[in-house]
Amino acid sequence: MINRSLKTLLEKRLEVSPAVALLGPRQCGKTTLAKNFGMKYYDLETDVARTRVDVAWSDLLASQEVVIFDEAQTFPAIFPRLRAAIDSDRSRNNRFLLLGSVAPALMMQVSESLAGRLAIVELTPLLLGEVGADRLDELWLKGGFPGGGILADGLFSHWQSDYLRLMAERDLPSWGLSASPKLTERLLKMTAALNAPQMNLSQLGQSLGISHPTVRGYLDFLEGAYLLRLLNPYHGNVRKRLVKAPRMYWRDSGLLHALWGVGSFDQLLEHPSVGWSWEGFVLEQIISTIKTSGVNADFYYFRTSDGYEVDLIIDAGGQKWGIEVKLTSSPSPDDLRKLRKSAGMCDCTRHFLLSRTTDPVVASEGGSVNLESMLEVLARDFL
């Protein structure tokens, strides 16, 4: 069994909180991780489990074992009862573990009923540090969903296609997305085609036959369902004209590649947008690794109208690191010089050119790194 990096942070949050919400996309491993903390488990998507919870409620409140409620967002009635249980004994921690497949922005019951009573942690699909650096290309191609092929041969990309179809037809509508399944499927394909470049919401809306505000609302919903990551631009005090539109990335590269119709690593390398895929994959690995550690950080990208850019700015606790991603095994000195100038414009304390180099070099101000060495630097100097 793979040891999930989030386990340590989850243990710490349970020790100091009466309830913790473990959130993340469907099928990313939340239930498997949660059962490390207790076996009083109830899947609230089923009527049988809801009845069992209702009948056994008094016993659950007295339990010394962590009680796990899976897919909590599907049973809103549980939240007021949890609030009352927590308020009746605020000194007890390590009581309830709620699992959910949507972000707090889509779980109104959390903000209304459990504000101040609940810690929140997010689990991602498998990360490079969890599967091993020797499986880098396999993880990039297939993505990190445990059932999607990274742990078993022959499932990619059929698993991903089925996953997306079920999301469009069942899960997203049940969580409140108003778009029809057919429109949602078109939206998913178009966001895959626009992965990484700056978004043009008006153009996207026109292609789908919906308004600018509506398409933005749909994208916010997909972000809340852990499918997309929207990366905002860094503004700061820069004396240049800046690109201000957010960038949009598919969080799991395997889902993105299934939408592209990519079925093998050779097909991925031949795809015209392979560079955008690599960029999104690398950024998601870095951002998720930082979040999994419990470090509070803000993330941006930076780009000027005349082409100076930093793909990822990490801003946390007085540190500001800039990372530029290139799909090459031979980064050039010119790339590093341009990055140094770009990073200086946004006051980065360190800057890294991240490529597929086999000869990483790290210095005090930054360096030329690959993904494995970048994660090692983060673990040593940032996390």
Side-chain angles (χ1 to χ4, degrees):
M1 179 181 293
I2 290 179
N3 185 31
R4 301 306 302 268
S5 301
L6 190 70
K7 184 179 179 182
T8 300
L9 180 62
L10 183 54
E11 288 174 340
K12 292 178 179 178
R13 294 293 186 265
L14 280 167
E15 288 174 359
V16 298
S17 304
V20 174
L22 174 60
L23 307 180
R26 275 197 184 276
Q27 303 297 319
C28 70
K30 297 187 295 296
T31 301
T32 301
L33 176 59
K35 287 183 177 179
N36 284 277
F37 297 88
M39 296 306 295
K40 286 188 179 296
Y41 170 84
Y42 300 90
D43 181 357
L44 296 180
E45 282 195 306
T46 68
D47 291 334
V48 171
R50 295 178 184 183
T51 300
R52 289 175 57 213
V53 168
D54 189 51
V55 170
W57 186 249
S58 296
D59 293 335
L60 296 181
L61 297 188
S63 174
Q64 297 303 307
E65 187 179 357
V66 176
V67 181
I68 303 167
F69 297 117
D70 203 349
E71 297 300 341
Q73 79 278 349
T74 65
F75 189 40
I78 196 71
F79 293 95
R81 301 180 75 171
L82 288 170
R83 178 181 62 187
I86 292 169
D87 288 349
S88 68
D89 188 356
R90 292 300 293 266
S91 64
R92 284 184 63 194
N93 294 329
N94 207 39
R95 297 183 66 185
F96 304 110
L97 182 53
L98 283 63
L99 315 186
S101 300
V102 294
L106 302 182
M107 293 177 66
M108 298 302 297
Q109 302 89 356
V110 169
S111 59
E112 292 174 356
S113 298
L114 296 179
R117 303 169 178 87
L118 181 78
I120 296 175
V121 295
E122 295 184 359
L123 183 68
T124 69
L126 293 167
L127 299 172
L128 185 64
E130 295 169 330
V131 303
D134 59 324
R135 303 184 72 180
L136 170 65
D137 288 341
E138 185 183 7
L139 183 65
W140 175 25
L141 171 66
K142 298 178 179 179
F145 282 99
I150 187 63
L151 299 184
D153 292 333
L155 298 177
F156 178 80
S157 61
H158 306 291
W159 186 95
Q160 283 77 6
S161 297
D162 292 340
Y163 181 95
L164 290 167
R165 185 172 63 253
L166 287 173
M167 288 290 288
E169 295 177 354
R170 184 193 66 182
D171 294 332
L172 293 172
S174 71
W175 296 337
L177 184 65
S178 59
S180 68
K182 286 187 177 181
L183 179 59
T184 301
E185 289 179 354
R186 289 177 59 204
L187 176 62
L188 296 179
K189 290 180 180 179
M190 293 196 70
T191 55
L194 297 174
N195 184 69
Q198 291 84 12
M199 290 191 300
N200 186 325
L201 293 179
S202 296
Q203 183 180 21
L204 182 56
Q206 289 175 1
S207 300
L208 293 169
I210 56 180
S211 67
H212 177 288
T214 299
V215 74
R216 181 56 198 248
Y218 289 170
L219 293 179
D220 288 343
F221 202 99
L222 296 180
E223 184 180 30
Y226 300 105
L227 294 176
L228 301 181
R229 184 180 296 282
L230 302 182
L231 194 62
N232 289 317
Y234 177 83
H235 294 306
N237 185 23
V238 181
R239 296 181 180 179
K240 278 182 174 288
R241 185 179 177 184
L242 302 178
V243 174
K244 298 181 179 180
R247 280 184 172 177
M248 173 181 63
Y249 296 92
W250 269 82
R251 293 188 59 166
D252 183 74
S253 55
L255 295 179
L256 172 67
H257 298 156
L259 287 165
W260 281 356
V262 166
S264 68
F265 193 69
D266 286 341
Q267 290 177 359
L268 174 59
L269 296 181
E270 294 169 356
H271 196 278
S273 296
V274 60
W276 292 122
S277 169
W278 172 248
E279 179 180 314
F281 169 75
V282 166
L283 267 56
E284 186 61 30
Q285 291 292 310
I286 293 171
I287 293 172
S288 294
T289 298
I290 293 172
K291 286 182 172 290
T292 296
S293 74
V295 171
N296 290 320
D298 295 315
F299 305 95
Y300 309 94
Y301 81 92
F302 171 80
R303 183 175 176 84
T304 68
S305 59
D306 55 352
Y308 288 95
E309 66 178 337
V310 182
D311 290 326
L312 180 66
I313 295 175
I314 309 168
D315 190 355
Q319 297 190 80
K320 191 184 295 181
W321 290 15
I323 300 173
E324 178 70 10
V325 181
K326 298 289 184 183
L327 181 58
T328 178
S329 59
S330 302
S332 71
D334 286 341
D335 290 332
L336 195 56
R337 281 192 291 268
K338 189 172 182 179
L339 170 60
R340 185 179 298 112
K341 184 171 182 178
S342 300
M345 293 178 187
C346 40
D347 300 320
C348 289
T349 53
R350 300 184 77 179
H351 56 275
F352 297 90
L353 180 63
L354 195 159
S355 67
R356 293 173 64 88
T357 180
T358 57
D359 186 24
V361 177
V362 178
S364 58
E365 73 278 5
S368 174
V369 296
N370 53 31
L371 181 55
E372 183 181 8
S373 58
M374 183 74 248
L375 295 177
E376 290 173 352
V377 173
L378 283 169
R380 185 186 68 220
D381 298 341
F382 195 94
L383 304 181

